[in-house]
Amino acid sequence: MLAGLEPATARLAEAEEVVDALGDDRLRARLDYQRANIHGRVGDLASAWDGLEGAVRRLDAFTEREQASVHLSRGMLAFELLRPQEALESFAEAARLAHELGGREQEFMARHNEGYAAYLLGDIPRSLADMAGAEDIESDVFKGPARLDRARVLLEAGLVKEAVEALHAGLAGVSGDGHDQIRAEFQLELARAHRLLGHLDLAADAARSARETYGRIGATAWAAKAMLVGLLVDLDRQRRVRRDRERLERDLVRRIVGVGDASVALAAAATADELTETATELGDSELADSARVVAAQALLLAGDVAGANSRLLSLERVSTASLSDELDAAAVTAMTLVAAGDVTPARRILVRASRRLAAGQEGSASLDLRTARAVHGARLSELDLELAVPRGSGAVLEALERWRSATDRLPSLGRPDDEQLAVLTEQLRAVRGHARGETDPDQLRELHDHASRLERQIRDRDWALSRSGTSARAIPVRVREARALLGQVDRDLVWFYRHRGRLAAVGVVGGRAVMRDLMPIERAAELAQRVRVDLRAAATHHLGPLAGAVWSSLRSSAAELDTALLRPWRSERGLVVVVCPEVSALPWALLPSMVGRPFTVALSLTSFARRAAVAPDASGTGGARVHVSVGPGVPRATSEARTILGTWGAGDEPPGPSRRDELVRALARPGVVHVAAHGTHQVESPLFSSLVLHDGPVFAHELQPTGVRADHVVLSACEVGLASARPGHESLGLALSLLSLGARSVVAAVAPVPDDVAATTMTRHHELLASGLPSDEALARAVSETDDVAAAFLNLGGQHRP
């Protein structure tokens, strides 16, 4: 540290002569450890590793506390050498030793770094679990780096908003002198997160701040990383300008690659090339590869396809834990191939990328975590669709299927019970219960804040739970087989998607696939939102003289949507509808051509077919096992329950006060489940959407350990059919959680429905269902026979045929 490497190695050589003369192997182990530290400080990682391996071979030369330090050092060096499995093993042993010795600081560092090693191995749940375990260890260790690492893992998991919150909180905790480096690291991760969210100005500011700080303290490699993020933001801005032009652009290559400012793109490429050289000189292969990918993107925008290809060919393909980096590189490679005229290899890359994303989602037992990670595939799915459109309707169906609701194709979650999660959920239930009866505004605000804190803790724990090995595999269904099934059940398909600023759709009508361009996406979103707002107002039944105006506005918007979205297909059959966010949560039965017409809102075509491929497994009276739960504060719930039970021949005695555990058990077995209870959809935290029973709310996340095997679930509650859209073609909500966890079909409302209308509609639905009609047809007839506001009820997922 005082005079550099040469005098240090000379002194070390003198020490080695003494050790040789003494023949002391225990002293030789300490010599090897010191050699490793010296070489590690100057960046000679290979020599450092050799020294540490020598020390590890003679661990008995060290005290137990020193052994923990040796394993910690070995783990940190394994990080640098991209050997995460060895890092994981070293940190686990260091944590064990430190725990036995009561060394809290060492245990914290080892346990946290064990989590980071799990992240490098791609095991996000274990990573979050180990990091959470480290946080529970009381120690005086500076927690800034640990909080930064956790935010990085959240970002990789696709929980971008949560990562931003964690980064801001961590940044607030590293104020004052002496923390320049870590403040810059927080800013760098903020830049990456804001870029993923599309907040380019915030991303640029954060990247600039990080770069300036790194430059001031002489952290060359880190400054290069910040510059790369800044370049990516500049290129994103070019693409954003390009999107405004591409609607008129007919050339496929120019639409995909872009038509940005060549001078800006070339300047970015030159900077990226310089950063590649810097990274190579520093021996940072991972950074060099990242810079080459950025240079390739910039050269593509500038029209230099050969230059972009040469950068990609020089990639060292360093293995990293980052699924997002891997998918970004796949997108750039595919675009380069398209620009070079090699469209078929580009499509193959996209297919492989979709499988890689699904593999990255599969390891988690958290539905929240699975759906969030899809954000990293959003860009690839757009590219896949762009390549598919010129090839026709069949190719478009295949492309949409590849990326839509990948979680629905994954194995069921099979999450284990968790005591800590159960305790936190009980606390949340109690707080929610207090809030319902509280009238004091200050107390109510405090209870809501307490509930929010508990929800964050529950989500943290939920993310950390790995999928158990006992879950069943999803049934594979090909698009060709799914199309054939449509004919067998006498249904047509309309799948809506956004493309070049328009709402488009691909349909399968009478067995024939066809694409249609329908209307401007902004107009479709505006009309859909108007219908939702008007229906919510109409459902209050207290409009007085305003009722006519509200219904007139609603019917006008519904008619325009009907003309643009449905009438062009000239289909007379029942429909399977797959929506995009702009037209989600629509009361389709209010559109004139859908009145009395059976339809199902499905996650995808193969999702609908897969549910039809699962044979019902029901038993009990009348050939169907029926369970009814009722909640408090629903005036007609008891008579509704009695009627439904009588309809299915399950007796006419009203059920007593319904309990949460009874409903969870009923959902976990085949049969029909009806819930007449109030419910809520949580927009920001959809897995905390709930149904309120007599002993408290049942939250969506509580259904994950047992899964759902019910054939048909009817939720006679307000708005629990709503879902919160997430980037990457995923959504979350109570009804969609039931489907993702294994339900075959769900009936739920996307708007408030008066209790009397809900009771009348649902009892009629069960009557028709019990008579042998499939669930979509039974619901369509029940809705058409009652009040128009009953159109809020949708048949979701698939058909149930009793």
Side-chain angles (χ1 to χ4, degrees):
M1 296 298 289
L2 294 175
L5 178 63
E6 188 173 340
T9 50
R11 184 61 60 88
L12 197 65
E14 293 176 21
E16 189 165 13
E17 290 177 5
V18 175
V19 171
D20 287 342
L22 293 171
D24 190 335
D25 285 342
R26 295 171 65 85
L27 199 54
R28 187 176 303 283
R30 292 176 175 275
L31 179 77
D32 286 338
Y33 183 66
Q34 185 63 24
R35 178 183 289 112
N37 275 285
I38 289 173
H39 286 294
R41 285 182 183 276
V42 297
D44 185 355
L45 303 186
S47 297
W49 183 259
D50 289 341
L52 267 179
E53 290 297 272
V56 169
R57 282 193 294 270
R58 291 182 294 272
L59 273 176
D60 59 343
F62 302 90
T63 69
E64 287 186 321
R65 191 174 298 278
E66 288 172 339
Q67 288 177 25
S69 294
V70 171
H71 283 297
L72 272 172
S73 298
R74 184 177 184 270
M76 295 302 296
L77 187 56
F79 270 159
E80 298 297 324
L81 290 168
L82 302 176
R83 300 166 84 157
Q85 184 60 49
E86 286 160 300
L88 190 68
E89 294 164 0
S90 292
F91 289 135
E93 182 61 16
R96 184 190 66 79
L97 287 168
H99 180 74
E100 290 177 356
L101 295 166
R104 292 187 175 276
E105 286 76 14
Q106 282 186 319
E107 185 183 2
F108 171 84
M109 290 187 291
R111 188 67 67 200
H112 174 81
N113 287 331
E114 187 179 354
Y116 200 76
Y119 154 67
L120 292 178
L121 286 166
D123 190 345
I124 298 292
R126 177 174 177 180
S127 174
L128 291 169
D130 286 344
M131 289 182 178
E135 283 292 323
D136 291 338
I137 299 170
E138 294 183 9
S139 71
D140 295 329
V141 174
F142 173 50
K143 299 289 181 69
R147 288 166 182 160
L148 176 64
D149 287 344
R150 182 175 180 275
R152 284 177 176 141
V153 177
L154 291 176
L155 193 57
E156 178 64 22
L159 296 159
V160 187
K161 291 182 180 179
E162 294 80 358
V164 169
E165 291 175 5
L167 289 165
H168 280 301
L171 197 55
V174 292
S175 58
D177 296 334
H179 296 308
D180 285 354
Q181 168 87 19
I182 194 166
R183 269 200 300 272
E185 289 186 50
F186 273 110
Q187 290 286 1
L188 177 56
E189 296 305 322
L190 272 173
R192 289 171 171 151
H194 284 311
R195 178 176 171 252
L196 263 179
L197 291 171
H199 303 158
L200 299 187
D201 289 342
L202 291 174
D205 290 344
R208 187 182 308 109
S209 175
R211 186 182 70 244
E212 290 171 354
T213 301
Y214 287 137
R216 187 171 64 252
I217 64 177
T220 307
W222 285 100
K225 293 177 182 179
M227 288 183 71
L228 279 181
V229 176
L231 291 177
L232 286 169
V233 172
D234 290 341
L235 295 176
D236 286 346
R237 283 175 169 152
Q238 288 293 303
R239 290 191 194 92
R240 185 169 287 183
V241 172
R242 180 258 292 185
R243 286 194 186 103
D244 294 334
R245 303 172 185 168
E246 72 178 5
R247 299 175 190 178
L248 302 176
E249 187 61 58
R250 294 180 178 276
D251 181 72
L252 173 66
V253 172
R254 289 171 68 83
R255 279 201 310 272
I256 288 175
V257 171
V259 287
D261 187 321
S263 61
V264 173
L266 286 171
T271 304
D273 284 340
E274 292 173 6
L275 295 176
T276 302
E277 293 178 8
T278 300
T280 302
E281 291 170 2
L282 293 170
D284 192 333
S285 301
E286 187 177 345
L287 176 58
D289 270 0
S290 297
R292 290 182 184 106
V293 172
V294 174
Q297 291 186 63
L299 289 168
L300 275 179
L301 270 178
D304 184 357
V305 179
N309 193 48
S310 72
R311 302 312 187 274
L312 293 174
L313 287 174
S314 62
L315 288 176
E316 295 184 33
R317 306 288 181 185
V318 178
S319 176
T320 75
S322 176
L323 175 66
S324 56
D325 287 350
E326 186 179 334
L327 296 179
D328 279 347
V332 177
T333 303
M335 287 192 295
T336 304
L337 288 168
V338 171
D342 298 325
V343 177
T344 300
R347 288 200 300 267
R348 284 199 292 266
I349 285 175
L350 294 171
V351 171
R352 286 198 299 270
S354 69
R355 292 172 182 160
R356 179 67 185 89
L357 175 60
Q361 292 172 297
E362 184 176 334
S364 174
S366 165
L367 193 56
D368 197 6
L369 200 57
R370 281 185 168 192
T371 55
R373 210 162 194 201
V375 66
H376 298 306
R379 184 181 175 194
L380 287 152
S381 66
E382 291 177 7
L383 177 57
D384 202 0
L385 180 61
E386 195 68 61
L387 290 178
V389 167
R391 299 172 57 227
S393 54
V396 169
L397 262 181
E398 293 280 0
L400 291 170
E401 276 287 352
R402 252 191 295 280
W403 302 95
R404 173 60 64 93
S405 294
T407 53
D408 191 60
R409 296 192 301 273
L410 295 175
S412 57
L413 282 81
R415 198 192 74 190
D417 286 320
D418 183 77
E419 183 178 351
Q420 183 179 343
L421 198 59
V423 170
L424 289 168
T425 302
E426 283 302 322
Q427 292 175 4
L428 177 62
R429 222 183 314 272
V431 171
R432 287 269 189 94
H434 288 314
R436 280 196 298 274
E438 184 57 64
T439 56
D440 180 76
D442 292 334
Q443 286 292 319
L444 195 58
R445 190 179 307 110
E446 186 175 325
L447 287 168
H448 283 316
D449 289 344
H450 190 187
S452 295
R453 289 193 299 273
L454 285 168
E455 286 178 7
R456 281 196 295 273
Q457 289 176 275
I458 290 169
R459 291 186 78 197
D460 284 351
R461 186 62 187 163
D462 176 61
W463 298 335
L465 295 173
S466 296
R467 184 172 62 83
S468 71
T470 58
S471 52
R473 299 294 305 184
I475 298 173
V477 178
R478 296 181 181 275
V479 172
R480 181 178 65 254
E481 297 165 347
R483 287 177 61 174
L485 180 108
L486 287 173
Q488 295 169 23
V489 297
D490 195 33
R491 297 292 182 265
D492 290 332
L493 167 80
V494 179
W495 188 326
F496 298 100
Y497 58 91
R498 179 178 185 143
H499 186 234
R500 301 183 212 160
R502 305 277 298 176
L503 181 66
V506 58
V508 178
V509 180
R512 179 172 172 268
V514 62
M515 289 187 300
R516 294 193 187 281
D517 176 67
L518 300 173
M519 69 189 306
I521 194 73
E522 293 86 355
R523 181 60 177 166
E526 177 190 347
L527 289 168
Q529 179 62 9
R530 192 181 299 169
V531 167
R532 296 184 199 107
V533 171
D534 287 344
L535 181 61
R536 177 179 290 272
T540 65
H541 281 192
H542 302 298
L543 293 175
L546 294 176
V550 169
W551 277 106
S552 176
S553 171
L554 197 162
R555 290 195 171 101
S556 172
S557 300
E560 186 175 345
L561 284 171
D562 190 56
T563 300
L565 305 188
L566 296 177
R567 292 196 180 275
W569 304 99
R570 299 180 181 178
S571 169
E572 301 297 330
R573 288 167 143 180
L575 283 183
V576 176
V577 179
V578 183
V579 299
C580 57
E582 289 79 7
V583 292
S584 65
L586 266 181
W588 291 93
L590 284 175
L591 276 58
S593 66
M594 295 292 283
V595 174
R597 185 178 182 183
F599 68 91
T600 297
V601 179
L603 299 174
S604 70
L605 171 58
T606 59
S607 171
F608 176 82
R610 190 160 39 250
R611 284 169 166 78
V614 180
D617 178 18
S619 62
T621 306
R625 182 188 286 118
V626 178
H627 171 87
V628 178
S629 285
V630 299
V634 183
R636 295 172 179 259
T638 301
S639 61
E640 181 180 336
R642 182 186 294 113
T643 302
I644 290 167
L645 290 170
T647 295
W648 289 99
D652 56 4
E653 286 297 318
S658 297
R659 298 176 55 83
R660 302 185 315 270
D661 57 347
E662 294 170 350
L663 176 58
V664 172
R665 284 198 300 270
L667 289 168
R669 60 179 183 248
V672 174
V673 176
H674 181 94
V675 186
H678 289 302
T680 59
H681 172 67
Q682 296 281 91
V683 177
E684 292 300 319
S685 300
L687 282 180
F688 294 99
S689 300
S690 62
L691 297 165
V692 181
L693 299 183
H694 288 88
D695 60 345
V698 178
F699 300 108
H701 81 84
E702 291 185 274
L703 305 175
Q704 294 180 123
T706 56
V708 177
R709 294 184 63 204
D711 299 297
H712 189 54
V713 183
V714 180
L715 304 176
S716 180
C718 296
E719 299 185 293
V720 290
L722 290 172
S724 298
R726 288 184 143 175
H729 308 294
E730 296 282 3
S731 298
L732 265 185
L734 180 58
L736 288 189
S737 295
L738 289 167
L739 292 171
S740 293
L741 291 168
R744 294 181 66 211
S745 67
V746 176
V747 167
V750 293
V753 180
D755 291 338
D756 58 337
V757 175
T760 302
T761 307
M762 292 300 95
T763 53
R764 181 59 175 152
H765 170 68
H766 280 280
E767 288 173 6
L768 294 165
L769 194 64
S771 73
L773 292 182
S775 59
D776 57 349
E777 189 172 344
L779 181 64
R781 284 182 54 178
V783 167
S784 68
E785 294 172 8
T786 51
D787 195 290
D788 283 347
V789 295
F793 284 108
L794 305 179
N795 186 70
L796 304 168
Q799 284 182 325
H800 171 57
R801 292 175 175 266

